[in-house]
Amino acid sequence: MKLRQFVFIATLLAAASVAGSGVHPQGSDIPARPVGSAEVVGLDGLRNAEFGATEEDLTRRGLLRTDEEACGPTLAGHGSVSPIFVDDRLVLLWLDDPMTTPEGIGAGTPIAEARAAYPDTVALPAPPGSHRFAGLLARAGDRAYLFLHDGVTVRKIIAGYANWARRFFDEGYGPC
């Protein structure tokens, strides 16, 4: 192996190590959390952003902001949450790590654990020929968690109104 090849491989390994270091985004509106620390989202929403709240109300309370770097509005203090509005109402939250359900299910959780925590889930297969994740819909009344997964682990969580979670899964909607 030539020195140039060795340096190139070493650089790639160092970059991969830094990229996977477990450091979460930080900023003035994103509270510092230890790696592995999670915030819980319930079927009512977050502690300061409830499902059914209007965009106007969340903006007035200083919770909704339009960040030029984001693909849509974001919730202040929640860098890993994308709100989805329909007819000016918060209907879904698209969640990334470190968000979890009250049962501790989050991105990276094995599917078997998600099924054990929510035994009445409905399996939603990915459309044939698509590059989309499959889903597990855990419904409680008019609310639900939709766990998007790769067949092994949960990759994303969507929480909110069950009919909108199912509709957005069927239509292939994303937060951007």
Side-chain angles (χ1 to χ4, degrees):
M1 179 182 297
K2 294 182 181 177
L3 179 61
R4 184 172 51 182
Q5 290 173 320
F6 177 77
V7 170
F8 178 72
I9 292 170
T11 303
L12 285 177
L13 288 173
S17 175
V18 169
S21 67
V23 177
H24 294 287
Q26 295 186 6
S28 59
D29 78 321
I30 300 171
R33 285 188 208 80
V35 173
S37 173
E39 186 170 350
V40 176
V41 63
L43 289 176
D44 291 327
L46 291 169
R47 68 184 179 294
N48 55 359
E50 310 79 24
F51 295 118
T54 65
E55 288 183 74
E56 180 182 338
D57 179 51
L58 293 173
T59 301
R60 181 183 49 75
R61 292 190 290 156
L63 299 173
L64 191 65
R65 34 176 259 183
T66 305
D67 190 348
E68 295 172 10
E69 296 177 17
C71 62
T74 59
L75 294 176
H78 300 284
S80 57
V81 177
S82 297
I84 307 294
F85 293 92
V86 174
D87 296 331
D88 188 45
R89 297 278 179 186
L90 179 62
V91 297
L92 296 172
L93 294 171
W94 192 277
L95 310 162
D96 285 321
D97 186 45
M99 303 298 292
T100 70
T101 68
E103 289 74 17
I105 307 302
T109 301
I111 291 302
E113 287 182 33
R115 287 185 180 183
Y118 299 96
D120 295 330
T121 60
V122 174
L124 304 173
S130 74
H131 296 287
R132 293 177 20 205
F133 290 121
L136 290 175
L137 187 67
R139 189 176 185 134
D142 70 338
R143 309 290 169 90
Y145 293 112
L146 173 59
F147 304 107
L148 300 179
H149 65 88
D150 60 7
V152 178
T153 60
V154 172
R155 295 297 176 186
K156 300 277 183 195
I157 300 173
I158 300 169
Y161 292 106
N163 60 334
W164 284 108
R166 179 61 195 251
R167 181 174 176 181
F168 283 22
F169 178 84
D170 291 342
E171 295 175 5
Y173 183 85
C176 294

